Amino acid sequence: MDIRLARTAAIAALAALAVVVTLTPPPAAHAEGLEPGWTVTEFGPLGPADRDLLVRVRLAGLWEAPAGKQAQDRARSEKVKEIGHHISGEHIALDAEVLKVADRLGVPLPDRPNAEQQSWLDELNGLRGAAWDNVFTARLRVAHGKVFSVVAAVRAGTRNEVIREFAQQAVTIVMRHMTYLESTGLVDYTSLPAPPTPVAAAARRTGGPPAPLIWLILAAALAAGAVTAARIRHPR
């Protein structure tokens, strides 16, 4: 009797497991082994960082191109006027490219600057002459420095062929624009965000172990805990 009940229970358990397996949806893009947020394209996998790159480059063009045009009327320095002309023209060309790439990959893009960028344009609208030159140079240099790190990181690690080619173009333009702005002699380097501190250097300063050693210590602690728990449950 006990054997028959055990068999019946086992069959019921297997049936329930089969139902669970049947009803459980497969992971997204499982054929490619991709994490959620990734999609498969004919040019290679497309990830969140790839989409973010396209959005950021589009946003940059939406405010930097108008700001560069404004330099022709509001800047005092001929150098700043010239740089504004170059930045505006190159962003217009880059914007056309990012729209083309986004269309190929099915990535939606914004059609207006974000709130922070609009505030910078509003700030410039209220200035003229030397004050305009200083604010223009400061705002654009900080903005280019931020987007440069994003573009460079995507260029180094993207799995998508189209994004890789676009990031190569974008990183060259962003670097060139930083050089343009620095050539004015108006950039205050002390006001720029400091580069991130390397993990190893931070660990040396704080006296803590580097990150890989922390994980090894944690793994050893977990293993020791598991052995102790097993001994408690199954004493000799």
Side-chain angles (χ1 to χ4, degrees), residues 27 34 181 186:
L34 300 178
L181 294 162
L186 299 176

Side-chain angles (χ1 to χ4, degrees), residues 56-200:
R56 285 174 181 263
V57 171
R58 169 65 169 165
L59 284 171
L62 287 173
W63 85 276
E64 291 175 19
K69 285 184 178 179
Q70 196 179 81
Q72 311 313 306
D73 299 324
R74 293 180 175 261
R76 185 181 72 174
S77 165
E78 290 299 321
K79 181 75 170 178
V80 173
K81 289 182 179 181
E82 179 186 1
I83 287 170
H85 173 73
H86 286 307
I87 287 179
S88 178
E90 290 175 15
H91 264 297
I92 290 172
L94 186 62
D95 191 60
E97 188 66 23
V98 75
L99 288 172
K100 188 186 339 180
V101 171
D103 183 62
R104 292 177 74 185
L105 298 174
V107 178
L109 295 179
D111 57 4
R112 64 187 64 186
N114 62 31
E116 183 179 38
Q117 293 166 335
Q118 187 59 54
S119 72
W120 295 335
L121 286 173
D122 293 341
E123 181 183 20
L124 288 170
N125 286 335
L127 300 172
R128 283 187 178 275
W132 194 97
D133 295 356
N134 288 324
V135 172
F136 170 81
T137 303
R139 296 288 179 265
L140 265 74
R141 177 58 182 80
V142 170
H144 279 87
K146 290 180 179 178
V147 78
F148 178 78
S149 61
V150 174
V151 177
V154 172
R155 171 61 184 85
T158 184
R159 306 179 194 176
N160 189 280
E161 178 184 350
V162 172
I163 293 292
R164 188 177 303 112
E165 293 175 357
F166 176 75
Q168 178 72 35
Q169 178 183 358
V171 78
T172 301
I173 291 174
V174 174
M175 174 66 80
R176 186 160 65 239
H177 288 185
M178 287 196 293
T179 305
Y180 287 162
L181 294 162
E182 290 164 0
S183 71
T184 64
L186 299 176
V187 174
D188 178 9
Y189 294 98
T190 63
S191 67
L192 299 177
T197 303
V199 174

Side-chain angles (χ1 to χ4, degrees), residues 16-30:
L17 179 61
V19 171
V20 171
V21 171
T22 301
L23 296 178
T24 302
H30 63 283

